[in-house]
Amino acid sequence: MTEHTESAALWSAPSAHEPVDARVSVPGSKSVTNRALVLAALSVDPGWVRRPLRSRDTLLMAEALRAMGVQIEEGAGPDGTGESWHVLPAGLHGPATVDVGNAGTVMRFLPPVAALADGPVTFDGDPRSYERPLHGVIDALRVLGARIDDDGRGSLPMTVHGGGSLAGGTVEIDASSSSQFVSALLLSGPRFDQGVEVRHIGETLPSAPHIRMTVDMLRKAGAQVDTPEDGGEPDVWRVTPGALLGRDLIVEPDLSNAQPFLAAALVTGGRVTVPDWPQHTTQPGDALRRIFSDMGGSCELDERGLTFTGSGRVRGIDVDLSDVGELTPGIAAVAALADSESVLRGVGHLRLHETDRLAALTKEINGLGGDVTETDDGLRIRPRPLHGGVFHTYDDHRLATAGALLGLAVEGVSVEDIATTGKTLPDFPAMWTAMLGGPAGPRGGSGGQRVEERA
């Protein structure tokens, strides 16, 4: 668990003195935006990414691709409305330097791209990025023909010596620590001389919906992909070599980033509507409809979007979150406010995320008077009266929103470094305040997020 910074600014989390009643427009999906940028960069013709998320992680991805020669122009879309990024593929080249920050998608998706570049590409990032697992991608790329200097660490910093192409072929990997290892190889697979066959040999595979998202986006870009869901071998994905086509892609709202706002309705017994919630999606955040309903609310999906209504009671839950681990911090915060015990399972891999999320949640919720214990693969949360105090975030955006959630029901909670939410959700403090009926603050320029208090 990365240590918190004592000097970081504290944000007084506002408490809710009445049920929330708001309409919250969340910006685009980080996962979709960054996959779209990679696929557009590897395509044979220009493409558009419309309604992209503008956050630290996506801007790092865009800058990294620019460093390797890809042109990304920001402005209005092809119809003259809305913010869009026009991606103009070019010959990938080095020397180049990539700053991954602490973005898993950047540090894992781009080394295969760099292996296709003509020249060396050096990867570096935040101190925590050195601790996050990357060996699955590094080892796989070496098997597929890449040359990588990492001093044997299996992590950053490192240099990928691109040769202009990559042989590709079959590779076995253990993606138990991150499904991004699989997605990273699949995204660039059409550009490998022999394509790629990825065989997962680990005991578990977390966040499988993210792999389905990758496959879906590859197919829409013209790639041929065979998957276990198509009747193929379990835990085996095959991508045929071929050209990727530029697309005009509209990015869905980030459903995982809708979590704190839906949770606010649950915790306060209120109502929140998120417009443009897709009827069908590969985003893991769609599971919030089921999970939060099981915890005491109800939802309605119609032409207005998703409306979630709290019942005034928060129930504990026993749930396997292996496919949706990114939702764990928010669910843990809600569970700490429930009227019965919760058990969150299948998320041992969260110890290797932006921080050790299980240790951090345990320490911070217990620091407010909670009763959280770690299990081998998750958390056990028993209800106890909570009190105010400092909720540390460890440079983790989802810890920050979890602290804000607790502050709704607990007076005197101060969240350390709320600005870390900018990793995926710019302007979160203003959105949160507006949801509670306060001034929304500046709008626009950050993906179009909007909060409106309903009359």
Side-chain angles (χ1 to χ4, degrees), residues 400-451:
T401 53
L405 262 174
L406 290 168
L408 286 179
V410 182
E411 296 278 355
V413 173
S414 295
V415 180
E416 173 204 49
D417 190 20
I418 194 67
T420 195
T421 54
K423 177 180 171 70
T424 59
L425 190 54
D427 297 337
F428 170 77
M431 296 175 69
W432 198 246
T433 301
M435 177 191 68
L436 296 173
R443 296 178 181 177
S446 296
Q449 57 268 40
R450 184 174 69 257
V451 181

Side-chain angles (χ1 to χ4, degrees), residues 313-335:
R313 177 192 175 195
V314 181
R315 297 193 295 260
I317 191 171
D318 187 329
V319 61
D320 184 338
L321 298 175
S322 55
D323 277 351
V324 292
E326 66 196 56
L327 304 179
T328 301
I331 294 170
V334 173

